[in-house]
């Protein structure tokens, strides 16, 4: 029997060296944890800071979200490379809710027709996307429903100098899902690394579980003085030879497609700038109805069991030649979503730590294509595609092994200049 107490102990254990972090009255001791509300609790913006070598991040209880991630670029200038808001209270106030940096759950991405079948029983969950006159709430469920996990305040159960653990108990029947799910998410910073571990336990009934981290990246800290977009970021998906086919509202059709070398969706044969193919009219509709760009679930098939922790090729590398900041993503997950922020329209405020200050002709908002979302995940909507055989990865009951997601984001600075045609560079 898997005990939640054991999970906390497992997740919270951490080693670090004092001294205290700047501007923070940190009082914990090595190997011990502190809880929300004490002196290591949130700052005046409702944020919890943790630090590693060359990296500093802020998290908020809302959605167990990352709100700031600071790294130095090749010029030694600090860049805040994730989208978010200046304070924790604003996340609930903003109604556009782009799932900024949080943990979508209990089932990330879309669920076809807001329903699924387990053991012959049909479950209808709450729709929240693509409303029509006949279906005013929507045709499908995105990221766990209208009150999914990244719309709720999690509990901070542990906070050390270099790690933070959040917990959420999702009650039986919430958003229509069967059974209670108890989840723990731990983020840890190391030497230019951000590691995450997500655990979820189905405590009372059999239910689908699929989590992710929904972080919006701009590796220039939205401060690139030549472009407001992230289209010059180069992306490499070394295992991304296949993708899940989707319909115009991004629901999987059941087909798995090959990404032909040189095609729009090929990021595996060589790194390519996100915007490399934006002049190709065929890119219109590639991320759903009237959307140009990517909102695509790539498979990251490797030969299991694979050791994702050491030496292996990352499932993704994102890099901006302007800042030189590069991130390599390692994960135990079998799929990886790329969203090129086609839905941004300049209405989302930048943080005070981002953007160009003192330049009047650049609005302090996120422009269309101004960011890239990268989501470690399992095959999307596999609960409605039994032929894919993903049940063991996505359906959990009491007494089962827990759902586990692990990922490691490893940062570096890479001074390679941008090259011709955006291939092998950027
Ligand atoms: C944790 O704190 C307790 C009480 O302050 C102390 O006795 C113990 O040695 C600490 N453990 C570690 C690993 O530092
Ligand atoms: C960036 O470099 C400065 C100067 O060396 C240093 O004080 C700061 O901590 C660095 N930032 C990060 C996030 O490591
Ligand atoms: C929180 O941030 C938002 C957006 O930047 C800002 O409008 C609001 O005034 C801030 N609220 C507080 C309490 O600081
Ligand atoms: C969630 O946390 C934010 C920031 O601390 C706070 O403003 C808000 O009231 C909280 N919401 C709930 C439902 O507790
Ligand atoms: C921008 O997008 C947001 C969120 O989808 C929407 O609420 C808003 O109306 C849009 N604004 C414009 C000008 O299209
Ligand atoms: C969609 O869900 C509704 C409500 O459960 C059900 O009546 C309908 O048959 C489903 N449609 C499809 C195509 O599965
Ligand atoms: C961090 O990693 C770099 C490069 O791998 C290494 O040179 C450096 O010594 C490490 N720093 C610490 C404190 O371990
Ligand atoms: C753009 O930013 C770079 C890097 O900070 C700087 O070297 C360059 O002078 C800036 N260019 C302009 C036109 O401001
Ligand atoms: C996509 O862009 C790459 C790099 O510029 C180019 O080699 C390739 O031919 C383009 N593919 C299509 C289908 O436009
Ligand atoms: C399609 O998108 C473009 C720009 O993104 C927008 O101007 C246009 O109104 C959209 N058309 C429809 C039919 O939604
Ligand atoms: C964007 O990349 C192109 C090559 O594809 C390069 O010519 C251009 O200078 C880059 N712009 C910026 C702002 O990095
Ligand atoms: C730096 O970026 C270049 C261009 O994308 C790439 O070829 C090279 O492998 C990267 N270097 C490292 C150490 O990751």
């Amino acid at each position: 029997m898997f005990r939640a107490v054991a999970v906390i102990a497992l997740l919270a254990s951490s080693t670090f060296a004092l001294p205290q972090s700047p501007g923070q009255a940190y009082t914990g001791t090595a190997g011990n944890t502190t809880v929300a509300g004490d002196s290591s609790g949130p700052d005046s913006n409702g944020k919890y800071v943790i630090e590693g070598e060359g990296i500093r991040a802020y998290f908020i209880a809302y959605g167990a979200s990352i709100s700031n991630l600071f790294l130095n670029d090749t010029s030694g200038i600090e860049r805040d490379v994730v989208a978010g808001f200046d304070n924790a209270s604003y996340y609930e106030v903003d109604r556009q809710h782009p799932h900024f940096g949080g943990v979508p759950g209990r089932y990330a991405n879309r669920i076809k027709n807001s329903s699924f079948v387990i053991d012959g029983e049909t479950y209808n969950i709450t729709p929240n996307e693509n409303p029509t006159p006949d279906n005013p709430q929507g045709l499908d469920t995105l990221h766990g429903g209208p009150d999914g996990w990244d719309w709720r305040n999690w509990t901070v159960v542990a906070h050390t100098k270099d790690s933070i653990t959040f917990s959420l108990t999702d009650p039986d029947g919430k958003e229509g899902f069967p059974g209670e799910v108890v989840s723990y998410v731990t983020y840890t910073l190391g030497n230019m690394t951000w590691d995450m571990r997500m655990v979820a336990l189905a405590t009372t009934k059999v239910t689908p579980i699929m989590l992710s981290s929904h972080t919006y990246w701009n590796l220039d800290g939205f401060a690139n003085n030549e472009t407001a977009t992230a289209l010059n970021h180069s992306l490499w998906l070394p295992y991304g030879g296949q993708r899940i086919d989707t319909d115009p509202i991004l629901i999987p059709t059941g087909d798995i497609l090959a990404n032909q070398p040189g095609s729009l969706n090929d990021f595996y044969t060589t790194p390519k700038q996100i915007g490399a193919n934006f002049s190709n009219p065929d890119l219109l509709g590639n991320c759903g109805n009237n959307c140009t760009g990517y909102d695509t679930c790539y498979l990251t098939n490797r030969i299991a069991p694979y050791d994702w922790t050491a030496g292996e090729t990352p499932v993704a590398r994102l890099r901006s030649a302007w800042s030189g900041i590069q991130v390599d993503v390692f994960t135990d997950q079998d799929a990886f979503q790329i969203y090129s922020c086609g839905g941004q329209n300049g209405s989302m405020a930048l943080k005070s730590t981002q953007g160009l200050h003192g330049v009047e002709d650049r609005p302090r908002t996120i422009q269309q294509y101004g960011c890239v979302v990268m989501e470690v995940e399992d095959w999307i909507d596999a609960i409605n595609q039994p032929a894919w055989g993903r049940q063991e990865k996505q359906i959990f009951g009491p007494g089962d092994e827990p759902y586990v997601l692990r990922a490691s984001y490893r940062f570096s600075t890479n001074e390679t200049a941008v090259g011709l045609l955006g291939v092998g560079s950027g």
Side-chain angles (χ1 to χ4, degrees):
M1 183 64 196
F2 204 89
R3 288 172 190 276
V5 174
V7 179
I8 295 185
L10 188 77
L11 292 172
S13 67
S14 135
T15 56
F16 58 86
L18 295 173
Q20 305 184 342
S21 51
Q24 169 92 0
Y26 181 75
T27 59
T29 56
N32 276 337
T33 57
T34 51
V35 294
D38 71 6
S39 54
S40 76
D43 64 16
S44 57
N45 289 318
K47 299 186 179 186
Y48 297 81
V49 66
I50 63 175
E51 288 185 299
E53 178 88 8
I55 187 167
R56 187 173 76 256
Y58 293 75
F59 293 87
I60 54 167
Y62 189 74
S65 305
I66 189 167
S67 66
N68 308 72
L69 180 58
F70 293 98
L71 298 152
N72 281 335
D73 70 10
T74 46
S75 308
I77 301 171
E78 263 194 10
R79 304 291 178 197
D80 181 358
V81 297
V82 300
F85 294 126
D86 280 330
N87 53 65
S89 51
Y90 195 64
Y91 284 72
E92 235 177 40
V93 172
D94 170 74
R95 301 320 298 167
Q96 303 178 62
H97 206 284
H99 308 278
F100 262 171
V103 177
R106 76 175 70 172
Y107 196 89
N109 208 273
R110 297 177 174 81
I111 295 178
K112 181 181 184 175
N113 196 34
S114 302
S115 69
F116 51 86
V117 177
I118 298 178
D119 295 336
E121 187 170 340
T122 299
Y123 294 90
N124 294 311
I125 54 169
T126 314
N128 64 340
E129 197 186 30
N130 296 303
T132 64
D134 287 347
N135 299 81
Q137 282 185 284
L139 293 174
D140 63 287
T141 296
L142 175 64
H143 294 322
D147 193 29
W149 289 10
D150 62 351
W151 293 78
R152 299 182 221 167
N153 282 338
W154 294 50
T155 303
V156 177
V157 293
H159 179 209
T160 74
K161 181 172 166 51
D162 65 359
S163 92
I164 187 162
T165 297
F166 295 95
S167 171
L168 183 80
T169 298
D170 193 22
D172 181 12
K174 188 84 177 83
E175 308 301 282
F177 286 102
E180 179 191 76
V181 173
V182 179
S183 182
Y184 295 88
V185 170
T186 295
Y187 301 114
T188 308
L189 298 187
N191 185 355
M192 296 276 280
T193 60
W194 173 29
D195 290 354
M196 64 185 72
R197 178 159 42 177
M198 303 185 183
V199 176
L201 306 162
T203 52
T204 58
K205 292 178 187 165
V206 178
T207 184
I209 301 175
M210 180 170 77
L211 306 182
S212 185
S213 168
H214 201 280
T215 304
Y216 288 69
W217 300 89
N218 180 304
L219 297 177
D220 300 331
F222 298 93
N224 186 325
N225 53 12
E226 296 166 43
T227 175
T229 76
L231 294 177
N232 261 31
H233 285 37
S234 84
L235 174 69
W236 184 40
L237 303 173
Y239 299 103
Q242 293 176 304
R243 70 184 189 281
I244 290 178
D245 185 37
T246 52
D247 71 9
I249 59 166
L250 297 174
I251 306 293
T253 63
D255 292 336
I256 304 296
L257 303 176
N259 299 321
Q260 300 301 334
S263 68
L264 301 176
N265 291 291
D266 170 25
F267 287 95
Y268 80 100
T269 57
T270 180
K272 184 170 79 178
Q273 286 179 321
I274 304 266
N277 296 136
F278 269 57
S279 60
N280 186 325
D282 293 345
L283 206 60
L284 175 61
N286 194 57
C287 41
N289 236 339
N290 195 36
C291 174
T292 295
Y294 304 93
D295 195 349
T296 309
C297 182
Y298 289 88
L299 304 188
T300 55
N301 290 324
R302 292 151 288 173
I303 296 167
Y306 43 84
D307 177 11
W308 62 275
T309 58
E312 206 190 277
T313 309
V315 299
R317 168 175 293 171
L318 185 70
R319 176 175 176 264
S320 170
W322 186 81
S323 66
I325 294 174
Q326 171 172 302
V327 55
D328 286 339
V329 180
F330 296 82
T331 182
D332 60 355
Q333 299 295 294
D334 290 330
F336 193 79
Q337 189 92 12
I338 289 289
Y339 169 51
S340 55
C341 287
Q344 290 295 331
N345 61 12
S347 59
M348 199 71 71
L350 291 176
K351 284 173 289 184
S352 57
T353 50
Q354 300 179 315
L356 288 166
H357 291 276
V359 176
E360 303 304 329
D361 61 357
R362 174 82 65 84
R364 292 194 50 80
T365 56
I366 300 176
Q367 305 302 300
Q368 190 179 37
Y369 313 125
C371 40
V372 183
V373 179
M374 302 196 288
E375 296 156 80
V376 292
E377 63 188 9
D378 201 60
W379 296 28
I380 57 174
D381 199 32
I383 50 171
N384 281 310
Q385 301 294 343
W388 290 349
R390 307 294 302 175
Q391 289 86 341
E392 276 190 22
K393 297 269 187 183
Q394 301 201 353
I395 309 286
F396 298 84
D400 288 350
E401 290 294 306
Y403 168 94
V404 178
L405 175 153
R406 291 184 299 164
S408 183
Y409 292 72
R410 300 183 186 178
F411 299 89
S412 56
T413 46
N414 179 339
E415 308 236 16
T416 312
V418 73
L420 291 174
L421 301 173
V423 179
S425 67

